[in-house]
Amino acid sequence: MICDVNVYLSRWPFRRLPCDSTPELVRKLKQNDVTRAYAGSFDGLLHKDIRTVNQRLNDDCRSHGADLLIPVGSINPALPGWEDDVIACHEQWNMPGIRLHPNYHEYELSSPEVKKLFEMAAERGLFIQIAMRMEDDRTHHKLMRIPDVNFAALPGLMKEHQQLQVTILNGMKSLRGASLTRLTENPNLTIEIAMLEGVGGIENLMQQVPYEQILFGSYFPFFYLESSLNKLKESQLGMKIEEQITWKNAEHRFAKTP
């Protein structure tokens, strides 16, 4: 059993990816024993009609992966009426969480809109995923130089909502040292391993972050699914810890029947 918390549907804006059609993606996930995958949409990065993005995401998950894919709606609090998009994710499509891309949508986590968004998510029992980056800065299109998300305001936001679950996606390329320690002092903050590098990477990460706060994420199809699977093989975790990271931690924190 594997629960993947970092999957995307639709098309990456700048090139085609292997398995970027939903049926192909679902087939690949099932072939590799992924039994649950929390999926956002690449359309949520640049499209302004977020309601339609989330409608397509929901329909795609139900049409092609109802027994596997769980939709996680995009929210852009820099757009008018974003509150209605949160309500639709929760009430119309019964999504368990929302996914944020502050760097692509050009807002800071310290903004009043984000404070309100966190309040709405906490009231509705939604988890929040925040993507720190979407690609290595060396491969950015020259017209799309996108900086990493600044997480300085996140610990303060989470202290105001003790039960709110927040996961940082694609953060392990940049988050290190004191900045990572400060974030993970809150037990409701989790990170996933898609951009974790180095042999024995998970073992090394566990010296700084409790394994209860580490989740399996692949960032598939942007990254090869096998990349994250191999991270499990190259670290000596033991069955108990491997089960926690691959599915039990996510099941405990996020499980909700869509």
Side-chain angles (χ1 to χ4, degrees), residues 84-153:
D84 292 336
D85 294 329
V86 175
I87 293 170
C89 287
H90 181 224
E91 297 183 6
Q92 182 175 346
W93 301 305
N94 199 27
M95 295 179 181
I98 54 179
R99 190 170 290 186
L100 308 181
H101 303 92
N103 46 357
Y104 279 80
H105 296 157
E106 297 186 299
Y107 63 86
E108 297 291 336
L109 294 181
S110 57
S111 72
E113 291 80 10
V114 173
K115 179 179 174 65
K116 184 176 181 181
L117 187 154
F118 270 61
E119 291 172 355
M120 290 185 69
E123 289 170 0
R124 293 171 176 271
L126 301 172
F127 63 75
I128 295 177
Q129 296 183 331
I130 308 173
M132 183 171 189
R133 58 163 56 183
M134 299 301 285
E135 62 177 326
D136 192 298
D137 52 14
R138 294 169 294 183
T139 64
H140 285 172
H141 189 284
K142 65 180 181 179
L143 298 179
M144 293 288 292
R145 304 292 188 185
I146 309 297
D148 286 351
V149 174
N150 182 348
F151 285 106

Side-chain angles (χ1 to χ4, degrees), residues 8 10-15 41-50 53 56 74-76 79 101 103-106 134-135 141 143-146:
Y8 278 83
S10 195
R11 301 280 169 80
W12 175 245
F14 304 105
R15 62 183 170 89
S41 174
F42 283 131
D43 294 346
L45 298 180
L46 302 179
H47 290 214
K48 289 188 175 181
D49 188 354
I50 294 295
V53 168
R56 286 197 304 271
S74 296
I75 299 296
N76 182 356
L79 292 176
H101 303 92
N103 46 357
Y104 279 80
H105 296 157
E106 297 186 299
M134 299 301 285
E135 62 177 326
H141 189 284
L143 298 179
M144 293 288 292
R145 304 292 188 185
I146 309 297

Side-chain angles (χ1 to χ4, degrees), residues 50-75:
I50 294 295
R51 179 72 63 92
T52 303
V53 168
N54 291 332
Q55 178 71 71
R56 286 197 304 271
L57 172 66
N58 182 71
D59 293 347
D60 220 12
C61 288
R62 294 188 180 279
S63 297
H64 301 290
D67 59 337
L68 170 65
L69 298 177
I70 300 174
V72 181
S74 296
I75 299 296

Side-chain angles (χ1 to χ4, degrees), residues 9-43:
L9 305 189
S10 195
R11 301 280 169 80
W12 175 245
F14 304 105
R15 62 183 170 89
R16 290 297 304 270
L17 303 172
C19 297
D20 66 2
S21 74
T22 306
E24 289 179 288
L25 180 140
V26 168
R27 190 179 309 115
K28 182 75 170 180
L29 290 171
K30 289 183 175 181
Q31 287 173 351
N32 287 277
D33 300 321
V34 176
T35 54
R36 182 182 289 257
Y38 291 92
S41 174
F42 283 131
D43 294 346

Side-chain angles (χ1 to χ4, degrees), residues 161-179:
H161 307 287
Q162 296 297 321
Q163 303 304 314
L164 183 64
Q165 298 289 334
V166 177
T167 302
I168 296 176
L169 307 181
N170 300 340
M172 296 316 302
K173 179 78 173 178
S174 303
L175 283 176
R176 290 182 176 85
S179 60

